[in-house]
Amino acid sequence: MNRFGNCDKAIATARNILYETPDFHSNWVQLISTIFTNSGWQHRGNSVPTNRKTLLYQTSYPPFFESWTTQCNGVRFAPGLGALLTQALRDKLNLLGQELNAVLAAWIDQQNYIRSSYIIGAIPPANTPWFMKFSNQDEFYNNHRFCRQDVTEPDRNNPQTWFFNLFSNSDGVTANNETTVTSANFDATWHINSRTCNSTADQGEFADTLPCLISQAIANGTTDNNTVWPATPEAIQKTFHPRTQGFLSTAQNIQKDLLYEPVGQFGSVLNNKHLRIMGIGDSLAFGISDISYVAGYRETLYELLTSERTNRVEFVGTQHQGPEPYNSMEGYLTDGVTGVLDKLQKNKAIQNLQPNIIILTAGFLDIKNIDTNDYNSLQQLRTDLTSLVNYVFTACSSCTVLVGDIPPPPQPFQWPAAADRKQRFQFNAMISEIVNQQATQNNRHITKLHFSVPSGETVQGTGYPTQRGYQYMAYDIVEKFALIDRSGWISPAGVDDNSVTASSTLPPIPLRLSATPGVPTIGASVSSGRSPPPQSSSAAATSTCTGDQIEGSCTQASLPSATPDSGPEAPVCNKVDSSGDFLMFNATQASQGASQYCENLISTKVILSSSNKSPKPGYVANAAEKGGYIALAVTLDVDSCDPGTAASNQQLDFGSWTQDKCYQYMYTTLAEACAKDPTWKDYDPKFTLEGGLYAASCVLWGMQGVPGSPPKDG
C-alpha cells in the first residue's frame, strides 16, 4: 500500500516528531531565540519591565474536519485515492492537529517563563507581559471545516469552507479555468505518463507523488463523479491552506489580541457585568495546592473582576473552601469526572444556584490514575467528560462554559517525552475536540481555556499548581472572559447597592517593577499606627474607609485595635478632603518609590523587631498634589503576625524577602484599595492615589501624600 492510504503510519510518524525526538523542539527554540535576541525585547523598558509589550504571536493550526458528521464516511479526499474519510479517521487527524497545538502552547508557556525570569531576575509575576503569545484560531474555524453538517464533499469551491480543498479554485476566481479532466489533458499538464510514472515510492513530497496516483485513477476510471477541476500544480500545492476568509479571521483575531491589554494591577477589562460563577471539577476547581493557599484561582479572579470595576461577582456552589466571598464552588477532591457528574445530578447545584458562567476543570484526578500508556482509558475519560458537559448544559442551557485544560507535570521537557506529559497533551487535545463538537453540533456557548501554567509552577509530587500557578490561571480566565464578552456571551447587568467595587480584603496581585536609582531618599520617621475604632461604629471603621467610599466620617488611616497574632487586616485609606492633612499623589512615582524603598530595606537587611520598630521612611519629593511629597514607612505591628507566631518570631527580616513580595505589600495592595477613578468628583489623572495603611506579616505598611517638602535630613 502506498503512503496515501496508510494513515496510521503517517500519524505515528508525526507523533514521533512531537514526542520522541528533540529536533522539532530544538529548531523551534533556535528560531524563537534568534527573534528574541535580534529584537532586543529583553532591553525594552528596563526601568519598568511590565511596560514591555508582547512581541511575537504564534498562530495555531486549526484541524481540518468536523469529525462528528456522517455524510463523509464514504468519501475520499483525493479523487478515487486514499482512505475513506470516516468519523474515526477524521477524529484521529483532528486530534493530531490538536496535539500539535497543545505542544506549541506548552513550549511557549515555558519559554516565556524562562526568558522573563532571566530578564527580571526573579520568578515572573502573573501579570507579566510575555514575550510571546499563543494565538489559538481553532474555535473560529468551527462551521468552516471540511465535512461540516449538510455539506456534501468534495465541495471544492464552497465559500464557507475556509481551507482549500484538493483542486479548489483560487479565491475570487470563477469556474472558467475548470475543465472536465481526462487522462490526456491531466498528463499533459503535469508532464507525466500514467503508464510509466512511479506511484508506489514511499518517499518524496506530497505534490510529487500524488499527480501520478491521480493520473492512474483517471486512466482507470476510479475518480469521484466530480471530475471538473482546475487541474494545475497550484491547485494541489494550496491544499489544506486557509482561504482568504480563514486568513482574514486570523488577522482579525490577532488584531484583537494586540488590542487586548494584559490585565494589570487594576483588574479586568470587563465592566458592569453580573457574573454568577460556578467552578466545577476536582482538585483544580477546589483550589488545592499547599496548606497556605486554599482558594485556587478564585481569589485572584475575584480581585481582577472587582478592583476598579463595577462588576457584581458571585461565586456559587454547595462546596466551600477558603475565605468569603470567593469560597463557593463545586469542586470535589476525591472524585473523578464520573464522580463529579454523580454529585451534580444528586444535589442539583446548577439548577438551584443558577450560575451564568461555569468554569469546568475536570480530569486531573483521573489522569493521575490512568496508566500513561493506556490510550483506550484516555478515550473513555473523553467520553465521560463529554457526558459531564452534556449534563451541565442540560441543567443550564443558557450558561457559558469554559473548559480548562490540564496543567503540565512538574518535570522539565525531555526527549523522549515523559509519558505523563505526552498523556496530558493528548487529553488536552481531546478537550479541544469536545468543545468544538459541542459548539458546532449543539450550538452551545462553550470555549476551551488554555492555562498558561509552566512546569515550574506545579508542585513536585502532587502536580497541583502553585499559588502563582493559580494566579496565572486567573489571568487566563479573565482574558477568556474578554473574548466571550466580545462574542456577546456575557450580558450587561444592572449594578445595585450591594455590588462589589474595589476589593480590599484580598492578598495583592504580585507585580514587580525595577527600582529607579535615586528615589527616594531616607529621612525621619512618619507617624502611623493603630487606634481604637470610632465609638459611633466599631464594626464600620474598616469597611467605610476602603476603596472609593472614603467620605463622611471615615477615619484617617486608623486600623481597629486587635490582639497579637490576629493576622492581616484589610487596608484602610486616607480621607483626602479640604482639610489638607492628606494629599492625592502620583501612582507612577509612588510605584517607583516603593520599589526603591523595598530595595533599600532588603539590601541593608533591615530587621523589624521590638528593638527596631520603625526604620527611617522613604520620601518622593514633588510627587503629590500642591507640590507635596510621598512618604513611605514600615513599622513593627505584632497584631498582624500570623496566628500562632511565637513571641521570638514576632519580627520581619527583610534580608530574607524578595523584591516582589515587599513591593506587593508596600505598593500594590494600597494602590488597589486606595485609588480614585474617573467617576470621582474632581478626578485628576496625575494624582490618583490616596494612600493609607495595610497590616500584614507583623508590619504596618504605610504610604501617604504629605503637604510641603520632605524633611531636610531625608
Side-chain angles (χ1 to χ4, degrees):
M1 177 181 289
N2 64 65
R3 65 192 177 105
F4 296 106
N6 193 345
C7 296
D8 287 339
K9 181 179 179 181
I11 291 171
T13 299
R15 284 208 172 105
N16 185 71
I17 293 172
L18 276 181
Y19 302 123
E20 304 302 324
T21 61
D23 294 352
F24 177 31
H25 179 259
S26 298
N27 293 336
W28 181 86
V29 170
Q30 183 177 1
L31 173 62
I32 301 307
S33 298
T34 300
I35 296 172
F36 180 81
T37 301
N38 291 346
S39 70
W41 186 83
Q42 66 271 35
H43 303 301
R44 300 182 184 186
N46 274 343
S47 61
V48 184
T50 50
N51 283 347
R52 294 188 181 96
K53 303 296 183 182
T54 298
L55 176 70
L56 185 60
Y57 291 80
Q58 162 89 59
T59 57
S60 63
Y61 291 88
F64 302 121
F65 302 100
E66 297 288 1
S67 62
W68 58 271
T69 58
T70 59
Q71 78 274 14
C72 283
N73 286 347
V75 174
R76 303 177 195 276
F77 194 79
L81 301 171
L84 294 174
L85 294 176
T86 62
Q87 290 169 279
L89 177 58
R90 282 178 277 147
D91 187 60
K92 287 181 182 179
L93 294 172
N94 280 6
L95 286 174
L96 180 62
Q98 298 289 15
E99 286 179 50
L100 172 60
N101 290 331
V103 167
L104 286 172
W107 287 356
I108 290 170
D109 297 337
Q110 198 67 15
Q111 284 295 308
N112 283 330
Y113 188 71
I114 293 170
R115 295 184 186 281
S116 292
S117 297
Y118 171 76
I119 293 170
I120 295 174
I123 295 174
N127 62 342
T128 300
W130 298 124
F131 163 68
M132 188 176 183
K133 181 178 177 62
F134 183 66
S135 184
N136 195 350
Q137 309 301 312
D138 174 36
E139 292 175 25
F140 301 109
Y141 276 75
N142 283 336
N143 296 313
H144 299 289
R145 308 180 202 267
F146 297 127
C147 297
R148 65 188 177 278
Q149 184 78 2
D150 300 325
V151 173
T152 301
E153 301 288 0
D155 190 351
R156 296 194 172 99
N157 295 302
N158 190 317
Q160 292 303 312
T161 302
W162 285 1
F163 298 107
F164 281 106
N165 208 316
L166 184 63
F167 300 126
S168 296
N169 275 310
S170 299
D171 287 327
V173 176
T174 65
N176 293 337
N177 67 330
E178 294 181 347
T179 183
T180 300
V181 178
T182 65
S183 180
N185 61 27
F186 187 88
D187 287 5
T189 299
W190 285 88
H191 306 290
I192 59 176
N193 188 315
S194 61
R195 295 183 298 277
T196 60
C197 65
N198 184 1
S199 64
T200 60
D202 197 33
Q203 304 293 326
E205 292 293 328
F206 176 80
D208 295 335
T209 312
L210 181 62
C212 180
L213 292 166
I214 295 175
S215 175
Q216 293 173 348
I218 296 171
N220 297 331
T222 57
T223 58
D224 59 52
N225 294 329
N226 184 355
T227 56
V228 181
W229 336 310
T232 62
E234 181 185 5
I236 289 181
Q237 292 162 351
K238 291 190 299 187
T239 304
F240 292 121
H241 288 80
R243 285 183 172 273
T244 299
Q245 285 299 319
F247 278 125
L248 179 61
S249 173
T250 297
Q252 290 171 338
N253 286 288
I254 290 178
Q255 182 182 38
K256 292 173 183 176
D257 285 338
L258 290 168
L259 293 175
Y260 177 79
E261 286 291 333
V263 178
Q265 67 201 65
F266 293 123
S268 164
V269 295
L270 297 182
N271 207 18
N272 193 34
K273 305 296 181 186
H274 183 181
L275 305 175
R276 288 179 61 83
I277 302 170
M278 178 179 285
I280 295 177
D282 47 32
S283 56
L284 295 183
F286 188 85
I288 190 170
S289 176
D290 54 52
I291 60 173
S292 64
Y293 200 71
V294 293
Y297 62 76
R298 297 188 303 278
E299 182 174 10
T300 301
L301 179 59
Y302 181 85
E303 176 74 6
L304 293 174
L305 292 171
T306 58
S307 290
E308 297 294 315
R309 294 294 180 264
T310 56
N311 296 314
R312 179 179 177 182
V313 179
E314 301 169 274
F315 284 90
V316 296
T318 63
Q319 306 301 299
H320 306 285
Q321 179 69 13
E324 294 183 349
Y326 43 80
N327 62 333
S328 300
M329 41 69 199
E330 288 297 312
Y332 297 91
L333 283 177
T334 60
D335 283 296
V337 171
T338 57
V340 172
L341 174 58
D342 181 65
K343 292 287 198 310
L344 293 173
Q345 289 172 329
K346 291 178 179 177
N347 67 17
K348 306 295 182 184
I350 301 175
Q351 294 92 327
N352 294 334
L353 298 174
Q354 298 181 338
N356 59 355
I357 300 286
I358 289 175
I359 301 172
L360 180 59
T361 51
F364 182 80
L365 179 63
D366 302 82
I367 285 285
K368 296 175 71 173
N369 293 324
I370 293 177
D371 184 276
T372 53
N373 296 311
D374 187 354
Y375 193 76
N376 290 333
S377 292
L378 205 63
Q379 286 282 19
Q380 181 59 50
L381 179 57
R382 175 188 181 181
T383 300
D384 295 339
L385 183 58
T386 300
S387 297
L388 177 56
V389 171
N390 282 329
Y391 174 77
V392 166
F393 279 109
T394 299
C396 182
S397 60
S398 62
C399 282
T400 293
V401 177
L402 286 63
V403 187
D405 58 15
I406 305 298
Q411 297 78 16
F413 285 94
Q414 61 186 31
W415 277 265
D420 58 345
R421 182 178 295 275
K422 176 181 176 181
Q423 183 186 57
R424 294 189 190 200
F425 286 147
Q426 291 177 329
F427 183 60
N428 288 340
M430 293 176 181
I431 293 174
S432 295
E433 284 300 287
I434 291 172
V435 167
N436 287 344
Q437 181 172 346
Q438 291 287 334
T440 55
Q441 184 176 13
N442 301 314
N443 196 31
R444 288 167 169 168
H445 287 178
I446 184 171
T447 185
K448 166 74 175 298
L449 179 58
H450 170 62
F451 291 130
S452 59
V453 181
S455 293
E457 293 300 338
T458 53
V459 179
Q460 291 289 338
T462 65
Y464 300 132
T466 64
Q467 176 177 349
R468 196 183 301 266
Y470 277 118
Q471 291 169 344
Y472 290 164
M473 292 169 64
Y475 276 86
D476 295 329
I477 293 169
V478 169
E479 183 168 358
K480 183 63 76 169
F481 278 4
L483 173 64
I484 63 178
D485 185 45
R486 290 201 306 258
S487 301
W489 292 4
I490 302 178
S491 300
V495 181
D496 58 30
D497 293 337
N498 294 322
S499 300
V500 178
T501 53
S503 169
S504 61
T505 60
L506 307 177
I509 307 303
L511 175 67
R512 186 185 193 282
L513 303 182
S514 290
T516 302
V519 181
T521 56
I522 301 299
S525 64
V526 171
S527 61
S528 60
R530 292 180 181 266
S531 65
Q535 295 182 2
S536 59
S537 174
S538 61
T542 299
S543 63
T544 59
C545 297
T546 58
D548 58 4
Q549 300 177 31
I550 311 202
E551 57 188 16
S553 60
C554 174
T555 57
Q556 299 285 18
S558 296
L559 289 164
S561 59
T563 58
D565 304 341
S566 297
E569 290 278 354
V572 293
C573 306
N574 297 324
K575 182 176 69 174
V576 178
D577 56 21
S578 57
S579 67
D581 294 332
F582 296 96
L583 301 176
M584 299 294 296
F585 52 93
N586 182 273
T588 300
Q589 290 175 280
S591 170
Q592 294 172 343
S595 181
Q596 182 64 56
Y597 188 46
C598 282
E599 184 175 301
N600 293 341
L601 293 171
I602 293 169
S603 63
T604 57
K605 299 182 179 180
V606 170
I607 298 176
L608 295 186
S609 65
S610 57
S611 60
N612 182 32
K613 294 184 177 181
S614 299
K616 292 181 179 180
Y619 303 133
V620 185
N622 299 313
E625 60 185 350
K626 302 177 183 179
Y629 64 97
I630 303 172
L632 307 102
V634 292
T635 302
L636 181 70
D637 178 56
V638 297
D639 294 354
S640 67
C641 294
D642 292 335
T645 302
S648 59
N649 293 326
Q650 291 176 340
Q651 61 180 23
L652 189 144
D653 180 1
F654 279 101
S656 66
W657 273 43
T658 64
Q659 178 84 2
D660 285 353
K661 189 173 182 180
C662 177
Y663 178 87
Q664 63 176 310
Y665 281 68
M666 187 75 249
Y667 174 79
T668 307
T669 301
L670 288 169
E672 289 179 343
C674 304
K676 290 185 177 181
D677 62 32
T679 63
W680 281 62
K681 182 181 179 182
D682 301 325
Y683 171 75
D684 184 343
K686 294 181 181 179
F687 305 110
T688 58
L689 298 187
E690 301 152 304
L693 282 181
Y694 176 47
S697 297
C698 302
V699 178
L700 281 179
W701 308 80
M703 182 170 60
Q704 62 191 46
V706 184
S709 300
K712 293 182 179 180
D713 60 348

